[in-house]
Amino acid sequence: MFHSFRALRRATVLAMLLASAMPAAAREFRIAVGDGAGGTQEALGLAFVKALEAKSAGAHTAKLFLNGQLGDEQDTVTAAATGTLDFSILAINNITPFSPSVGTLTLPYVILSLEDAEKITQGEIGQQMVDRTVEDAGVRIIGWAYSGFRVLTNSKHPVTTVADLKDLVIRVPKNEIMIETYKSWGINPTPMAWSETFAALQQKVVDGQDNPYMTVFAMKFDEVQKYVTNIRYIFSIEPLIVSEQMFQSLSAEEQAAVLEAGRDATLASGQFLRAQEASIKEKLAAKGMEIADPADGEKEFIDLATTTVWPKFYDSIGGKEVLNGVLQSLGRPTVE
């Protein structure tokens, strides 16, 4: 009896030790990614997975689903909000309809460099946008991918002036700020879901689109586009969001691991863009894309967009003071 009890106790202690050494509830999260392989969205996702595994001591990992496998980018916001999707990486314009103040970062010519983007998203302004997005959309931004300026591509001819746009049919996301920006330049763009864009360019339903060099490369747009114009009207920032419902179900330690992994991935994204964008541009040129700069330092594009578009969206972003807060944080003149 005694020996049996001692053996049972040893077995119980061993079982407890093994249990404490193993993750209590190890999970493989799902991350929706709008873009294909090779771009900044995938790079952010991979950096997040690596950091999450390290921060959770191997308890948790995640799998990327590229090319919109888990749905259109805007659909993934709804899925995350309802708790049916864990994470999503998407263009910031696709979260703006759910949390309008984030749209401040999509106003034309607000962000003028990668350093501007990092300063805003990693500082007080970025945290304010995180808080508003949780409240407005039921999702939490935990990381940011920096993809560079949305350059204009088209299949017809070089574009260096506003007048050169007149005969082009340009695809834009279903985002009012971006639509109004093109209208300020004298054309009516075609709003279209991201998942439909490549086929529309291929079939010449539309002539062009705008996206960062990293996305143009990742999505193989060089196969259906010839000309690139280095406009800088929007610096593309792509948030990594987590379902707030799922986030709140995690322990405090798990939440900390997720947030720390998001911060690490954000820093890695800036490094990735600095290391890769110039070589990606060279690769696209080698594939036959012709690259041009706007005339006169882009002045015509800038003047039309900022004077026409900014005032139309003061109310929708939460007031002129929201924009002024961003401009002031960047050391730029505020609007009257």
Side-chain angles (χ1 to χ4, degrees), residues 38-118:
T40 49
Q41 288 192 0
E42 183 195 39
L44 178 77
L46 292 174
F48 175 75
V49 173
K50 180 180 179 181
L52 178 64
E53 290 173 346
K55 303 293 182 185
S56 68
H60 301 308
T61 187
K63 181 178 180 180
L64 305 184
F65 292 83
L66 303 174
N67 287 310
Q69 293 177 64
L70 299 185
D72 180 78
E73 287 191 354
Q74 287 194 17
D75 292 339
T76 67
V77 179
T78 303
T82 57
T84 58
L85 176 65
D86 302 316
F87 297 89
S88 179
I89 303 172
L90 66 164
I92 196 168
N93 49 271
N94 285 320
I95 200 169
T96 300
F98 303 90
S99 187
S101 66
V102 178
T104 310
L105 304 187
T106 69
L107 286 174
Y109 301 104
V110 167
I111 296 176
L112 299 178
S113 67
L114 170 57
E115 290 70 28
D116 282 356
E118 291 174 321

